[in-house]
Amino acid sequence: MGGETKYEIQQNAYIKLVLHAIKHKTSAVNGILLGRLSGDGIVEIVESVPLFHSQIGLLPPLEIALIMIEEYFNDKGLSIVGYFHANERFDDSELSNVAKNIGDHISKYFPISGLLLLDNKKLEALSNGKDKSPVMQLYTKDGSRSWKSGGSEGGSLLTLKEPAANVVLLDYISSNKSKDIVDFDDHLDDISKDWLNSELFK
């Protein structure tokens, strides 16, 4: 079942993750995907939370973040449905062990969770074309319990809910909106900083 599950990400959740990666271009970054399973078997990614940009593999801050995220979003009818990762190096398109380990942890609770890896080359090419596909590669668990790429070019299992999401994303990139992104690293340094980024799209 896991191999054929489709994933749909909403515009704001998508943009937040990409802006987080852009803000910390020289670091690996990660984030949590929240959503629900729809009646027709699509994993709807409704919200995202940027996690860390330094020491992303450290367990104690991750556990604190996951508890806070779950508590907040459970009340809103959303649960953790996946994980987002962007590698430190532009030309690195491999899933790191950190990404796999955190993805494994999440999939224990949500077996059809998706793991999204930022595709830097697609992100760079955004301004050149009219590509409506996400600048991320989807990985899902296969029968052997290892992560595999979810869908070849054109037949991807990951889609953007709003067709114009990449146009909006380019607007946010050009207006330097990435500087406003707050992640859990920022929040743990200064708890007055809003890890929900509630003002970002206002």
Side-chain angles (χ1 to χ4, degrees), residues 7 9 17 20 28-34 43 45 47-52 55-58 62 66 69 79-87 95-107 110 112-118 136-140 147 158:
Y7 299 78
I9 186 166
L17 294 170
H20 182 221
V29 302
N30 59 2
I32 291 296
L33 312 174
L34 295 123
V43 176
I45 302 164
E47 187 52 270
S48 65
V49 177
L51 282 180
F52 304 110
Q55 308 296 323
I56 67 171
L58 284 183
L62 176 66
L66 289 176
I69 290 166
S79 53
I80 294 174
V81 296
Y83 172 74
F84 169 78
H85 191 91
N87 287 323
L95 267 191
S96 68
N97 285 332
V98 169
K100 289 176 189 169
N101 290 342
I102 298 175
D104 287 345
H105 179 72
I106 290 167
S107 71
F110 189 72
I112 54 170
S113 61
L115 197 163
L116 303 183
L117 180 68
L118 183 69
M136 299 167 184
Q137 179 61 51
L138 169 73
Y139 289 82
T140 54
W147 293 97
L158 174 68

Tab-separated table of all heavy atoms in Angstrom, residues 7 9 17 20 28-34 43 45 47-52 55-58 62 66 69 79-87 95-107 110 112-118 136-140 147 158:
chain	number	residue	atom	x	y	z
A	7	TYR	N	0.380	11.857	-2.167
A	7	TYR	CA	0.600	12.909	-1.175
A	7	TYR	C	0.329	14.253	-1.838
A	7	TYR	O	0.777	14.494	-2.959
A	7	TYR	CB	2.041	12.866	-0.649
A	7	TYR	CG	2.379	11.562	0.033
A	7	TYR	CD1	2.671	10.424	-0.724
A	7	TYR	CD2	2.372	11.445	1.418
A	7	TYR	CE1	2.965	9.210	-0.119
A	7	TYR	CE2	2.671	10.237	2.030
A	7	TYR	CZ	2.957	9.127	1.267
A	7	TYR	OH	3.232	7.926	1.868
A	9	ILE	N	0.469	18.440	-0.981
A	9	ILE	CA	0.924	19.437	-0.005
A	9	ILE	C	0.301	20.798	-0.291
A	9	ILE	O	0.262	21.249	-1.438
A	9	ILE	CB	2.472	19.508	0.045
A	9	ILE	CG1	2.952	20.437	1.162
A	9	ILE	CG2	3.064	19.896	-1.303
A	9	ILE	CD1	4.429	20.300	1.496
A	17	LEU	N	8.564	25.459	4.171
A	17	LEU	CA	9.705	24.544	4.165
A	17	LEU	C	10.807	25.030	3.232
A	17	LEU	O	11.993	24.997	3.579
A	17	LEU	CB	9.254	23.142	3.742
A	17	LEU	CG	8.299	22.427	4.698
A	17	LEU	CD1	7.742	21.179	4.045
A	17	LEU	CD2	8.979	22.101	6.016
A	20	HIS	N	12.570	28.106	4.631
A	20	HIS	CA	13.458	27.706	5.730
A	20	HIS	C	14.804	27.238	5.171
A	20	HIS	O	15.871	27.613	5.672
A	20	HIS	CB	12.782	26.587	6.541
A	20	HIS	CG	13.564	26.124	7.717
A	20	HIS	ND1	13.672	24.794	8.068
A	20	HIS	CD2	14.291	26.803	8.648
A	20	HIS	CE1	14.413	24.680	9.158
A	20	HIS	NE2	14.809	25.881	9.526
A	28	ALA	N	22.281	22.048	6.644
A	28	ALA	CA	21.168	21.123	6.457
A	28	ALA	C	20.020	21.619	7.338
A	28	ALA	O	20.256	22.130	8.434
A	28	ALA	CB	21.590	19.718	6.870
A	29	VAL	N	18.803	21.524	6.847
A	29	VAL	CA	17.643	21.908	7.662
A	29	VAL	C	16.602	20.785	7.582
A	29	VAL	O	16.638	19.945	6.690
A	29	VAL	CB	17.001	23.239	7.200
A	29	VAL	CG1	17.998	24.381	7.242
A	29	VAL	CG2	16.368	23.112	5.829
A	30	ASN	N	15.673	20.822	8.537
A	30	ASN	CA	14.606	19.829	8.502
A	30	ASN	C	13.309	20.405	9.034
A	30	ASN	O	13.279	21.519	9.570
A	30	ASN	CB	15.013	18.548	9.251
A	30	ASN	CG	15.357	18.789	10.709
A	30	ASN	OD1	15.276	19.896	11.221
A	30	ASN	ND2	15.762	17.736	11.389
A	31	GLY	N	12.230	19.646	8.857
A	31	GLY	CA	10.917	20.105	9.293
A	31	GLY	C	9.944	18.936	9.413
A	31	GLY	O	10.225	17.828	8.947
A	32	ILE	N	8.823	19.212	10.042
A	32	ILE	CA	7.787	18.199	10.262
A	32	ILE	C	6.574	18.530	9.396
A	32	ILE	O	6.196	19.698	9.253
A	32	ILE	CB	7.384	18.175	11.758
A	32	ILE	CG1	8.539	17.625	12.596
A	32	ILE	CG2	6.124	17.364	12.000
A	32	ILE	CD1	8.901	16.184	12.316
A	33	LEU	N	5.978	17.503	8.823
A	33	LEU	CA	4.777	17.644	7.999
A	33	LEU	C	3.565	17.186	8.802
A	33	LEU	O	3.592	16.128	9.426
A	33	LEU	CB	4.888	16.779	6.738
A	33	LEU	CG	6.194	16.876	5.947
A	33	LEU	CD1	6.209	15.854	4.821
A	33	LEU	CD2	6.389	18.279	5.398
A	34	LEU	N	2.518	18.002	8.760
A	34	LEU	CA	1.289	17.672	9.491
A	34	LEU	C	0.115	17.620	8.546
A	34	LEU	O	0.051	18.374	7.577
A	34	LEU	CB	1.033	18.719	10.578
A	34	LEU	CG	2.121	18.708	11.647
A	34	LEU	CD1	2.753	20.067	11.759
A	34	LEU	CD2	1.587	18.219	12.963
A	43	VAL	N	-2.697	11.315	1.392
A	43	VAL	CA	-2.152	11.977	2.574
A	43	VAL	C	-2.108	13.474	2.270
A	43	VAL	O	-1.372	13.918	1.389
A	43	VAL	CB	-0.741	11.450	2.920
A	43	VAL	CG1	-0.159	12.229	4.098
A	43	VAL	CG2	-0.790	9.956	3.242
A	45	ILE	N	-1.035	17.009	3.223
A	45	ILE	CA	-0.097	17.754	4.072
A	45	ILE	C	-0.610	19.186	4.165
A	45	ILE	O	-0.561	19.943	3.199
A	45	ILE	CB	1.332	17.704	3.495
A	45	ILE	CG1	1.793	16.246	3.347
A	45	ILE	CG2	2.295	18.490	4.371
A	45	ILE	CD1	3.002	16.064	2.442
A	47	GLU	N	0.004	21.420	6.929
A	47	GLU	CA	0.817	22.364	7.699
A	47	GLU	C	2.235	21.807	7.803
A	47	GLU	O	2.457	20.599	7.636
A	47	GLU	CB	0.181	22.527	9.088
A	47	GLU	CG	0.766	23.588	9.983
A	47	GLU	CD	0.875	24.962	9.358
A	47	GLU	OE1	1.935	25.224	8.755
A	47	GLU	OE2	-0.052	25.770	9.474
A	48	SER	N	3.180	22.697	8.053
A	48	SER	CA	4.560	22.253	8.266
A	48	SER	C	5.185	23.105	9.362
A	48	SER	O	4.792	24.252	9.576
A	48	SER	CB	5.371	22.377	6.977
A	48	SER	OG	5.495	23.739	6.605
A	49	VAL	N	6.166	22.518	10.031
A	49	VAL	CA	6.880	23.233	11.091
A	49	VAL	C	8.384	23.089	10.833
A	49	VAL	O	8.915	21.980	10.877
A	49	VAL	CB	6.548	22.667	12.493
A	49	VAL	CG1	7.370	23.374	13.568
A	49	VAL	CG2	5.059	22.792	12.802
A	50	PRO	N	9.071	24.202	10.546
A	50	PRO	CA	10.531	24.148	10.409
A	50	PRO	C	11.163	23.759	11.752
A	50	PRO	O	10.814	24.324	12.789
A	50	PRO	CB	10.913	25.581	10.028
A	50	PRO	CG	9.646	26.198	9.493
A	50	PRO	CD	8.541	25.542	10.268
A	51	LEU	N	12.069	22.794	11.722
A	51	LEU	CA	12.676	22.316	12.963
A	51	LEU	C	14.019	22.976	13.252
A	51	LEU	O	14.104	23.903	14.031
A	51	LEU	CB	12.846	20.788	12.915
A	51	LEU	CG	11.606	19.934	13.158
A	51	LEU	CD1	11.966	18.456	13.077
A	51	LEU	CD2	10.966	20.244	14.494
A	52	PHE	N	15.084	22.473	12.608
A	52	PHE	CA	16.424	22.890	13.013
A	52	PHE	C	17.301	23.248	11.813
A	52	PHE	O	17.055	22.802	10.700
A	52	PHE	CB	17.100	21.753	13.800
A	52	PHE	CG	16.290	21.303	14.982
A	52	PHE	CD1	15.666	20.060	14.988
A	52	PHE	CD2	16.122	22.124	16.087
A	52	PHE	CE1	14.895	19.647	16.064
A	52	PHE	CE2	15.357	21.722	17.167
A	52	PHE	CZ	14.749	20.476	17.157
A	55	GLN	N	22.935	21.206	14.251
A	55	GLN	CA	22.850	19.969	15.051
A	55	GLN	C	21.518	19.253	14.836
A	55	GLN	O	20.823	18.908	15.799
A	55	GLN	CB	23.024	20.295	16.549
A	55	GLN	CG	24.240	21.108	16.889
A	55	GLN	CD	25.544	20.384	16.571
A	55	GLN	OE1	25.663	19.186	16.741
A	55	GLN	NE2	26.516	21.117	16.059
A	56	ILE	N	21.139	19.038	13.579
A	56	ILE	CA	19.785	18.534	13.322
A	56	ILE	C	19.561	17.092	13.762
A	56	ILE	O	18.435	16.655	13.869
A	56	ILE	CB	19.368	18.697	11.835
A	56	ILE	CG1	20.195	17.803	10.928
A	56	ILE	CG2	19.428	20.131	11.393
A	56	ILE	CD1	19.671	17.767	9.516
A	57	GLY	N	20.654	16.378	14.051
A	57	GLY	CA	20.484	14.985	14.462
A	57	GLY	C	20.375	14.786	15.966
A	57	GLY	O	20.261	13.654	16.431
A	58	LEU	N	20.420	15.867	16.753
A	58	LEU	CA	20.399	15.725	18.211
A	58	LEU	C	19.013	15.315	18.697
A	58	LEU	O	18.013	15.960	18.383
A	58	LEU	CB	20.796	17.040	18.897
A	58	LEU	CG	22.276	17.396	18.882
A	58	LEU	CD1	22.513	18.674	19.656
A	58	LEU	CD2	23.125	16.269	19.458
A	62	LEU	N	14.927	17.387	19.387
A	62	LEU	CA	13.933	16.815	18.478
A	62	LEU	C	12.732	16.289	19.264
A	62	LEU	O	11.580	16.524	18.894
A	62	LEU	CB	14.559	15.685	17.656
A	62	LEU	CG	13.599	14.937	16.726
A	62	LEU	CD1	13.081	15.847	15.614
A	62	LEU	CD2	14.269	13.702	16.124
A	66	LEU	N	8.908	17.543	18.890
A	66	LEU	CA	7.826	16.640	18.477
A	66	LEU	C	6.679	16.644	19.486
A	66	LEU	O	5.504	16.636	19.107
A	66	LEU	CB	8.358	15.215	18.280
A	66	LEU	CG	9.255	15.010	17.061
A	66	LEU	CD1	9.809	13.588	17.019
A	66	LEU	CD2	8.536	15.325	15.758
A	69	ILE	N	4.813	20.001	19.061
A	69	ILE	CA	4.081	20.019	17.788
A	69	ILE	C	2.834	19.148	17.885
A	69	ILE	O	1.735	19.565	17.497
A	69	ILE	CB	5.005	19.547	16.638
A	69	ILE	CG1	6.087	20.603	16.361
A	69	ILE	CG2	4.213	19.254	15.372
A	69	ILE	CD1	7.247	20.103	15.497
A	79	SER	N	-2.265	15.411	12.492
A	79	SER	CA	-1.206	14.620	13.113
A	79	SER	C	0.033	14.654	12.234
A	79	SER	O	-0.001	15.108	11.084
A	79	SER	CB	-1.682	13.188	13.357
A	79	SER	OG	-2.178	12.642	12.165
A	80	ILE	N	1.147	14.180	12.778
A	80	ILE	CA	2.411	14.163	12.038
A	80	ILE	C	2.320	13.100	10.946
A	80	ILE	O	2.045	11.936	11.233
A	80	ILE	CB	3.590	13.899	12.989
A	80	ILE	CG1	3.745	15.077	13.971
A	80	ILE	CG2	4.889	13.689	12.202
A	80	ILE	CD1	4.789	14.884	15.051
A	81	VAL	N	2.500	13.518	9.700
A	81	VAL	CA	2.367	12.587	8.565
A	81	VAL	C	3.666	12.448	7.762
A	81	VAL	O	3.705	11.734	6.768
A	81	VAL	CB	1.213	12.997	7.612
A	81	VAL	CG1	-0.124	12.928	8.327
A	81	VAL	CG2	1.453	14.393	7.024
A	82	GLY	N	4.723	13.141	8.194
A	82	GLY	CA	5.958	13.023	7.436
A	82	GLY	C	7.041	13.978	7.900
A	82	GLY	O	6.897	14.682	8.905
A	83	TYR	N	8.110	13.985	7.118
A	83	TYR	CA	9.334	14.682	7.496
A	83	TYR	C	9.932	15.347	6.249
A	83	TYR	O	9.855	14.802	5.148
A	83	TYR	CB	10.312	13.648	8.080
A	83	TYR	CG	11.700	14.169	8.358
A	83	TYR	CD1	11.953	15.010	9.431
A	83	TYR	CD2	12.778	13.792	7.547
A	83	TYR	CE1	13.232	15.481	9.687
A	83	TYR	CE2	14.065	14.253	7.798
A	83	TYR	CZ	14.281	15.099	8.874
A	83	TYR	OH	15.542	15.565	9.128
A	84	PHE	N	10.525	16.525	6.444
A	84	PHE	CA	11.173	17.258	5.360
A	84	PHE	C	12.657	17.425	5.685
A	84	PHE	O	13.021	17.683	6.836
A	84	PHE	CB	10.532	18.641	5.201
A	84	PHE	CG	11.315	19.554	4.292
A	84	PHE	CD1	11.241	19.414	2.918
A	84	PHE	CD2	12.133	20.548	4.816
A	84	PHE	CE1	11.982	20.244	2.070
A	84	PHE	CE2	12.864	21.387	3.981
A	84	PHE	CZ	12.774	21.228	2.605
A	85	HIS	N	13.491	17.308	4.651
A	85	HIS	CA	14.928	17.442	4.860
A	85	HIS	C	15.558	18.171	3.670
A	85	HIS	O	15.164	17.944	2.526
A	85	HIS	CB	15.553	16.042	4.985
A	85	HIS	CG	16.969	16.061	5.460
A	85	HIS	ND1	17.291	15.978	6.799
A	85	HIS	CD2	18.140	16.154	4.782
A	85	HIS	CE1	18.617	16.023	6.913
A	85	HIS	NE2	19.149	16.137	5.713
A	86	ALA	N	16.489	19.062	3.959
A	86	ALA	CA	17.288	19.698	2.900
A	86	ALA	C	18.749	19.499	3.259
A	86	ALA	O	19.157	19.773	4.390
A	86	ALA	CB	16.969	21.186	2.798
A	87	ASN	N	19.518	18.977	2.317
A	87	ASN	CA	20.935	18.710	2.577
A	87	ASN	C	21.760	19.987	2.600
A	87	ASN	O	21.371	21.016	2.054
A	87	ASN	CB	21.495	17.753	1.518
A	87	ASN	CG	20.991	16.333	1.703
A	87	ASN	OD1	20.831	15.865	2.831
A	87	ASN	ND2	20.736	15.639	0.611
A	95	LEU	N	19.548	10.802	0.349
A	95	LEU	CA	18.943	10.824	1.683
A	95	LEU	C	20.020	10.533	2.715
A	95	LEU	O	20.676	9.501	2.649
A	95	LEU	CB	17.873	9.733	1.791
A	95	LEU	CG	16.430	10.081	1.485
A	95	LEU	CD1	15.537	8.927	1.909
A	95	LEU	CD2	15.994	11.371	2.137
A	96	SER	N	20.198	11.427	3.666
A	96	SER	CA	21.217	11.207	4.701
A	96	SER	C	20.701	10.217	5.743
A	96	SER	O	19.502	9.946	5.837
A	96	SER	CB	21.542	12.542	5.390
A	96	SER	OG	20.422	12.966	6.146
A	97	ASN	N	21.632	9.704	6.553
A	97	ASN	CA	21.235	8.793	7.627
A	97	ASN	C	20.342	9.491	8.646
A	97	ASN	O	19.415	8.877	9.186
A	97	ASN	CB	22.470	8.208	8.322
A	97	ASN	CG	23.136	7.150	7.457
A	97	ASN	OD1	22.472	6.500	6.646
A	97	ASN	ND2	24.434	6.978	7.616
A	98	VAL	N	20.615	10.778	8.904
A	98	VAL	CA	19.772	11.533	9.834
A	98	VAL	C	18.332	11.572	9.317
A	98	VAL	O	17.380	11.312	10.061
A	98	VAL	CB	20.306	12.977	10.030
A	98	VAL	CG1	19.299	13.847	10.777
A	98	VAL	CG2	21.628	12.960	10.774
A	99	ALA	N	18.183	11.880	8.025
A	99	ALA	CA	16.843	11.943	7.429
A	99	ALA	C	16.145	10.591	7.531
A	99	ALA	O	14.965	10.505	7.910
A	99	ALA	CB	16.930	12.383	5.968
A	100	LYS	N	16.875	9.526	7.221
A	100	LYS	CA	16.275	8.190	7.282
A	100	LYS	C	15.868	7.836	8.713
A	100	LYS	O	14.787	7.276	8.942
A	100	LYS	CB	17.262	7.134	6.756
A	100	LYS	CG	17.479	7.208	5.252
A	100	LYS	CD	18.541	6.194	4.843
A	100	LYS	CE	18.936	6.381	3.393
A	100	LYS	NZ	20.121	5.611	3.027
A	101	ASN	N	16.736	8.154	9.683
A	101	ASN	CA	16.444	7.797	11.077
A	101	ASN	C	15.223	8.532	11.610
A	101	ASN	O	14.373	7.938	12.282
A	101	ASN	CB	17.658	8.087	11.971
A	101	ASN	CG	18.805	7.134	11.708
A	101	ASN	OD1	18.612	6.072	11.119
A	101	ASN	ND2	20.008	7.514	12.107
A	102	ILE	N	15.140	9.836	11.310
A	102	ILE	CA	13.969	10.594	11.783
A	102	ILE	C	12.726	10.127	11.041
A	102	ILE	O	11.652	9.962	11.627
A	102	ILE	CB	14.192	12.117	11.642
A	102	ILE	CG1	15.388	12.555	12.504
A	102	ILE	CG2	12.933	12.883	12.052
A	102	ILE	CD1	15.787	14.004	12.355
A	103	GLY	N	12.869	9.873	9.727
A	103	GLY	CA	11.757	9.322	8.955
A	103	GLY	C	11.285	7.989	9.506
A	103	GLY	O	10.084	7.730	9.620
A	104	ASP	N	12.237	7.126	9.887
A	104	ASP	CA	11.900	5.826	10.481
A	104	ASP	C	11.096	6.009	11.766
A	104	ASP	O	10.119	5.304	12.021
A	104	ASP	CB	13.174	5.025	10.809
A	104	ASP	CG	13.858	4.471	9.571
A	104	ASP	OD1	13.225	4.450	8.492
A	104	ASP	OD2	15.032	4.067	9.681
A	105	HIS	N	11.540	6.958	12.578
A	105	HIS	CA	10.866	7.226	13.853
A	105	HIS	C	9.405	7.636	13.613
A	105	HIS	O	8.488	7.126	14.256
A	105	HIS	CB	11.622	8.323	14.611
A	105	HIS	CG	11.005	8.694	15.913
A	105	HIS	ND1	11.043	7.864	17.023
A	105	HIS	CD2	10.305	9.791	16.293
A	105	HIS	CE1	10.391	8.454	18.020
A	105	HIS	NE2	9.945	9.619	17.602
A	106	ILE	N	9.201	8.528	12.657
A	106	ILE	CA	7.844	9.011	12.363
A	106	ILE	C	6.989	7.892	11.770
A	106	ILE	O	5.803	7.761	12.094
A	106	ILE	CB	7.912	10.238	11.429
A	106	ILE	CG1	8.496	11.431	12.210
A	106	ILE	CG2	6.541	10.591	10.852
A	106	ILE	CD1	8.903	12.599	11.365
A	107	SER	N	7.597	7.049	10.940
A	107	SER	CA	6.808	6.004	10.279
A	107	SER	C	6.346	4.910	11.247
A	107	SER	O	5.443	4.146	10.941
A	107	SER	CB	7.579	5.393	9.101
A	107	SER	OG	8.644	4.601	9.552
A	110	PHE	N	3.042	6.593	11.997
A	110	PHE	CA	2.223	6.812	10.807
A	110	PHE	C	2.894	6.061	9.658
A	110	PHE	O	3.754	6.605	8.966
A	110	PHE	CB	2.111	8.317	10.507
A	110	PHE	CG	1.110	8.650	9.435
A	110	PHE	CD1	-0.254	8.547	9.676
A	110	PHE	CD2	1.530	9.064	8.169
A	110	PHE	CE1	-1.185	8.859	8.687
A	110	PHE	CE2	0.610	9.376	7.172
A	110	PHE	CZ	-0.741	9.267	7.435
A	112	ILE	N	2.419	5.184	6.677
A	112	ILE	CA	2.504	5.650	5.290
A	112	ILE	C	3.042	7.082	5.212
A	112	ILE	O	2.747	7.831	4.298
A	112	ILE	CB	1.141	5.537	4.552
A	112	ILE	CG1	0.046	6.258	5.321
A	112	ILE	CG2	0.774	4.087	4.313
A	112	ILE	CD1	-1.249	6.404	4.546
A	113	SER	N	3.851	7.441	6.204
A	113	SER	CA	4.410	8.794	6.205
A	113	SER	C	5.319	8.989	4.994
A	113	SER	O	5.915	8.041	4.489
A	113	SER	CB	5.188	9.057	7.501
A	113	SER	OG	6.250	8.155	7.626
A	114	GLY	N	5.408	10.221	4.558
A	114	GLY	CA	6.273	10.569	3.440
A	114	GLY	C	7.508	11.304	3.937
A	114	GLY	O	7.458	11.990	4.959
A	115	LEU	N	8.589	11.160	3.214
A	115	LEU	CA	9.808	11.887	3.523
A	115	LEU	C	10.115	12.753	2.296
A	115	LEU	O	10.241	12.229	1.189
A	115	LEU	CB	10.922	10.881	3.798
A	115	LEU	CG	12.179	11.355	4.530
A	115	LEU	CD1	12.948	10.154	5.062
A	115	LEU	CD2	13.063	12.199	3.658
A	116	LEU	N	10.185	14.057	2.483
A	116	LEU	CA	10.431	14.979	1.373
A	116	LEU	C	11.863	15.500	1.442
A	116	LEU	O	12.306	15.979	2.477
A	116	LEU	CB	9.464	16.166	1.423
A	116	LEU	CG	7.977	15.841	1.412
A	116	LEU	CD1	7.159	17.137	1.396
A	116	LEU	CD2	7.615	14.976	0.214
A	117	LEU	N	12.561	15.394	0.328
A	117	LEU	CA	13.931	15.898	0.239
A	117	LEU	C	13.952	17.042	-0.766
A	117	LEU	O	13.502	16.882	-1.907
A	117	LEU	CB	14.871	14.775	-0.215
A	117	LEU	CG	16.346	15.154	-0.363
A	117	LEU	CD1	16.976	15.453	1.004
A	117	LEU	CD2	17.129	14.035	-1.063
A	118	LEU	N	14.468	18.201	-0.341
A	118	LEU	CA	14.546	19.360	-1.240
A	118	LEU	C	15.440	19.038	-2.434
A	118	LEU	O	16.532	18.496	-2.279
A	118	LEU	CB	15.103	20.570	-0.494
A	118	LEU	CG	15.167	21.860	-1.310
A	118	LEU	CD1	13.773	22.401	-1.600
A	118	LEU	CD2	15.995	22.924	-0.617
A	136	MET	N	10.632	19.226	-4.551
A	136	MET	CA	10.998	18.226	-3.549
A	136	MET	C	10.826	16.841	-4.149
A	136	MET	O	9.974	16.642	-5.010
A	136	MET	CB	10.082	18.328	-2.329
A	136	MET	CG	10.133	19.647	-1.619
A	136	MET	SD	8.783	19.799	-0.452
A	136	MET	CE	9.059	21.470	0.112
A	137	GLN	N	11.624	15.920	-3.655
A	137	GLN	CA	11.503	14.523	-4.057
A	137	GLN	C	10.847	13.761	-2.908
A	137	GLN	O	11.251	13.908	-1.755
A	137	GLN	CB	12.894	13.953	-4.347
A	137	GLN	CG	12.909	12.488	-4.743
A	137	GLN	CD	12.135	12.214	-6.016
A	137	GLN	OE1	12.328	12.853	-7.038
A	137	GLN	NE2	11.223	11.264	-5.955
A	138	LEU	N	9.844	12.977	-3.238
A	138	LEU	CA	9.144	12.179	-2.232
A	138	LEU	C	9.803	10.808	-2.081
A	138	LEU	O	10.136	10.162	-3.072
A	138	LEU	CB	7.679	11.994	-2.650
A	138	LEU	CG	6.867	10.981	-1.850
A	138	LEU	CD1	6.525	11.513	-0.459
A	138	LEU	CD2	5.586	10.610	-2.598
A	139	TYR	N	9.986	10.415	-0.835
A	139	TYR	CA	10.431	9.046	-0.526
A	139	TYR	C	9.383	8.394	0.363
A	139	TYR	O	8.819	9.045	1.252
A	139	TYR	CB	11.780	9.051	0.209
A	139	TYR	CG	12.925	9.440	-0.678
A	139	TYR	CD1	13.199	10.786	-0.935
A	139	TYR	CD2	13.721	8.476	-1.281
A	139	TYR	CE1	14.248	11.158	-1.767
A	139	TYR	CE2	14.771	8.844	-2.120
A	139	TYR	CZ	15.023	10.179	-2.352
A	139	TYR	OH	16.057	10.536	-3.184
A	140	THR	N	9.121	7.117	0.090
A	140	THR	CA	8.188	6.352	0.921
A	140	THR	C	8.854	5.027	1.275
A	140	THR	O	9.847	4.636	0.669
A	140	THR	CB	6.861	6.078	0.175
A	140	THR	OG1	7.164	5.448	-1.076
A	140	THR	CG2	6.085	7.361	-0.078
A	147	TRP	N	13.692	3.329	2.524
A	147	TRP	CA	13.085	4.468	1.833
A	147	TRP	C	13.404	4.394	0.347
A	147	TRP	O	14.540	4.173	-0.040
A	147	TRP	CB	13.613	5.778	2.422
A	147	TRP	CG	13.155	5.982	3.825
A	147	TRP	CD1	13.842	5.705	4.963
A	147	TRP	CD2	11.883	6.491	4.239
A	147	TRP	NE1	13.087	6.012	6.069
A	147	TRP	CE2	11.877	6.499	5.656
A	147	TRP	CE3	10.750	6.944	3.563
A	147	TRP	CZ2	10.792	6.946	6.409
A	147	TRP	CZ3	9.658	7.386	4.306
A	147	TRP	CH2	9.683	7.383	5.707
A	158	LEU	N	3.688	12.937	-5.437
A	158	LEU	CA	3.573	14.162	-4.642
A	158	LEU	C	3.104	15.302	-5.545
A	158	LEU	O	3.715	15.572	-6.576
A	158	LEU	CB	4.936	14.531	-4.032
A	158	LEU	CG	5.005	15.863	-3.287
A	158	LEU	CD1	4.186	15.820	-1.996
A	158	LEU	CD2	6.459	16.230	-2.982
